[in-house]
Amino acid sequence: MDFDRDYSMTINGGPATAASWLDVVNPATGKAFAQVPDCTSEQLDEAVSSAQAAFPQWRALPLSDRQALLLKAADAIEPHVEALVRLFTREQGRSTAGARLEIEGAVQWLRAVSRMAPPEHVVEDSTEQLIRTRYVPLGVICAIAPWNFPVTLSIWKIAPALLAGNTMVLKPSPFTPLCTLKIAELLRDVLPAGVLNVVCGGDNLGVWMTSHPGFAKISFTGSTATGKRVMEAASRDLKRVTLELGGNDAAIVMPDVDVDAVAEKIFNGAFYNSAQICVATKRLYVHADVYDRLRDRLVELAQAAKVGDGSQQGVTLGPIQNARQWERVRELLADAREKGLTLLQGGDVPEEGFFIPVTIVDNPPEHERVVQEEAFGPILPMLKFQSVDEVIDRANASDYGLAGAVWSADEDAAMSIAERIETGTVWINQNLVLRPDTPFAGRKQSGLGVENGMEGLLEFMAPQAIYLARS
Ligand code: NAD
């Protein structure tokens, strides 16, 4: 398979192209380097029909067969990791090492999910009656993914949805469709036709999908603003929804930390993938006693970061993934500058491409946009605090509730702070760790429902209670 050209959608187990094409831009150069088909509404209908047609047989397979096919899917992708890594860096921008983590991680994720099985419960088994609850698949899943972790976040949907017995039509972001299209092509010989369809197109396609009557459920990852539109579209025929949306995660650094030991981990938690991570640290609250030392250490790390084309050796931070997001981050930076906030910046950035220097904002007022909004780019506000109660109030004063972190030498104290943070995930003395066996769920406007873990698997299923009367 040639990973550098011939990008086609996968519909009903075969390739599909279209009359019109969309450019895919390398964010490190700002130049288009590939084209993908722009799915028509007739092709979407075809994809949904093929997924509907494949559903009865797919759901009727024994679970062990679907588990085995997910393992075969992992085996089919694995020999192509290096080709996918190169393609990933070209379309997404991330460093080669970071791209490898994502592609290898997807293979491992498929394998881990293939070992899962939905539970069955016996509520009562007596002389009067037998009551069983079991879980059944929903039908055709509409899956929509964003551009920041395009492969990971697609696999988070594909693996559990298919294991549960559903079929799927998946849409990657128009900014990062290439690896997903090639992975679907690799799986054409593994999965029965129609089980996994991958289509691509502009944002219109998302609107057509979320209002399409053929879907039983929408699994969406993206911004909170789009998530609200998805939920509105789903309400027309009460499609089930799982929404994994934005975040403005707070990290709290207590005065007892070893600043030198934690600085690099905190830096990575904020800036990995050039801060384009839903669960990145986006507000860094630091106790006044260690504030200056940690700030100086983070500025040193910012200055040492090598920002550039992710395919070049030594580059640690790539570009902002697309021109739209780049403009948004630059606008936020200009606003901070206009307000007279202190910006501590590191490193030279290339002239070509969508680059932003690593920026730390030194103790801005809490109400500033740079604190209140999800930047989704390398601008980190550092904020000073004095007391635990005060910092927990400030961390929780957000419409978002995705994740957060606590850094402290005292595990018990950190645990009690973690329990008071109103987010679906909290890390203590680590961050960005997410696992297939652990639920990931946004609170407040960070989302609805759960991905991953048994809870995430069951979101792709419906409980069925069976009552048998015994005479
Ligand atoms: P986005 O909402 O712009 O787009 C996400 C996807 O939705 C894309 O595939 C896009 O084409 C599609 N889309 C756009 N308009 C649509 C519509 N009206 N109906 C249906 N689909 C539509 O988000 P983005 O800019 O690609 O991603 C960045 C955002 O995603 C950030 O806010 C980030 O925090 C969030 N995110 C959340 C998680 C999570 O798990 N909670 C993970 C990654 C990213």
Side-chain angles (χ1 to χ4, degrees):
M1 184 185 297
D2 189 342
F3 286 79
D4 291 330
R5 57 181 60 77
D6 303 332
Y7 301 103
S8 59
M9 303 186 285
T10 295
I11 297 178
N12 199 23
T17 57
S20 61
W21 295 75
L22 299 170
D23 281 342
V24 180
V25 170
N26 179 340
T29 61
K31 297 195 174 75
F33 72 100
Q35 289 201 315
V36 292
D38 186 4
C39 185
T40 64
S41 63
E42 293 74 25
Q43 286 176 311
L44 173 63
D45 287 343
E46 237 179 272
V48 176
S49 300
S50 81
Q52 283 174 323
F55 178 56
Q57 277 190 336
W58 181 248
R59 74 179 293 178
L61 284 181
L63 176 68
S64 56
D65 286 12
R66 291 197 300 271
Q67 288 173 323
L69 283 168
L70 284 190
L71 279 179
K72 273 183 91 174
D75 293 345
I77 299 168
E78 199 165 40
H80 304 284
V81 164
E82 286 312 315
L84 286 165
V85 165
R86 278 192 299 279
L87 183 60
F88 186 98
T89 295
R90 280 183 95 186
E91 69 169 332
Q92 206 281 336
R94 195 182 311 155
S95 69
T96 302
R100 190 170 292 114
L101 275 181
E102 176 141 355
I103 305 293
E104 284 176 349
V107 171
Q108 297 312 331
W109 201 277
L110 275 167
R111 292 194 173 126
V113 173
S114 78
R115 291 190 288 271
M116 294 177 77
E120 277 222 29
H121 298 296
V122 174
V123 180
E124 184 180 326
D125 185 1
S126 65
T127 48
E128 281 93 51
Q129 61 179 348
L130 171 69
I131 308 173
R132 284 173 62 205
T133 56
R134 64 184 203 123
Y135 291 87
V136 295
L138 298 171
V140 183
I141 307 297
C142 163
I144 299 181
W147 45 260
N148 61 332
F149 280 78
V151 174
T152 302
L153 297 171
S154 295
I155 293 292
W156 283 15
K157 301 180 188 313
I158 295 169
L162 268 49
L163 182 87
N166 303 284
T167 56
M168 177 175 277
V169 181
L170 170 86
K171 184 189 92 63
S173 165
F175 295 119
T176 52
L178 302 179
C179 284
T180 314
L181 291 174
K182 285 294 174 189
I183 287 173
E185 195 175 330
L186 289 170
L187 301 187
R188 278 178 205 158
D189 294 335
V190 176
L191 299 168
V195 167
L196 175 64
N197 300 272
V198 174
V199 293
C200 61
D203 287 345
N204 268 348
L205 179 58
V207 176
W208 297 337
M209 286 173 76
T210 52
S211 51
H212 199 293
F215 290 110
K217 175 181 173 113
I218 303 170
S219 176
F220 172 84
T221 305
S223 63
T224 296
T226 311
K228 289 177 184 176
R229 287 196 280 278
V230 169
M231 191 162 168
E232 211 177 301
S235 73
R236 285 173 220 145
D237 46 10
L238 282 185
K239 289 185 186 74
R240 275 61 189 137
V241 285
T242 297
L243 304 174
E244 293 290 359
L245 309 177
N248 196 12
D249 294 3
I252 297 174
V253 183
M254 298 300 287
D256 59 0
V257 292
D258 175 345
V259 169
D260 288 330
V262 299
E264 197 165 346
K265 294 179 192 161
I266 291 175
F267 184 87
N268 284 332
F271 294 111
Y272 183 69
N273 200 33
S274 298
Q276 303 164 107
I277 310 189
C278 54
V279 290
T281 293
K282 293 171 185 150
R283 294 175 290 153
L284 181 62
Y285 291 98
V286 184
H287 192 277
D289 290 357
V290 285
Y291 183 94
D292 289 359
R293 270 197 299 137
L294 182 60
R295 180 200 53 208
D296 295 349
R297 217 29 224 114
L298 292 178
V299 170
E300 276 169 29
L301 289 164
Q303 282 160 352
K306 188 148 186 254
V307 180
D309 182 334
S311 66
Q312 303 298 309
Q313 203 146 26
V315 164
T316 50
L317 297 176
I320 297 295
Q321 198 283 323
N322 58 76
R324 191 179 72 185
Q325 184 62 19
W326 188 50
E327 283 308 326
R328 201 189 116 57
V329 178
R330 290 205 302 176
E331 196 269 320
L332 203 58
L333 209 52
D335 175 77
R337 207 169 267 128
E338 238 167 68
K339 303 274 176 54
L341 306 182
T342 308
L343 307 182
L344 307 168
Q345 295 188 310
D348 295 330
V349 298
E351 272 174 27
E352 232 189 15
F354 309 143
F355 291 96
I356 298 274
V358 181
T359 305
I360 290 161
V361 190
D362 191 4
N363 204 26
E366 197 85 11
H367 65 263
E368 288 296 346
R369 285 183 56 203
V370 76
V371 183
Q372 295 299 323
E373 294 181 19
E374 178 187 43
F376 225 59
I379 313 177
L380 177 68
M382 267 186 91
L383 303 132
K384 225 177 258 190
F385 76 88
Q386 301 282 352
S387 85
V388 169
D389 286 345
E390 166 219 331
V391 76
I392 290 175
D393 284 349
R394 289 166 72 186
N396 286 338
S398 171
D399 289 337
Y400 293 111
L402 197 56
V406 185
W407 298 86
S408 169
D410 181 340
E411 283 183 11
D412 293 337
M415 192 60 82
S416 89
I417 294 172
E419 288 174 358
R420 293 171 66 191
I421 295 182
E422 296 166 355
T423 59
T425 300
V426 189
W427 291 289
I428 298 173
N429 297 333
Q430 59 175 338
N431 50 25
L432 305 184
V433 183
L434 294 167
R435 296 167 44 122
D437 57 1
T438 307
F440 175 62
R443 286 167 66 178
K444 303 183 195 169
Q445 295 192 28
S446 285
L448 203 69
V450 190
E451 282 196 305
N452 309 339
M454 187 53 74
E455 294 87 340
L457 174 63
L458 295 184
E459 292 241 333
F460 288 109
M461 309 190 85
Q464 183 185 41
I466 302 179
Y467 291 70
L468 166 77
R470 287 178 170 143
S471 48

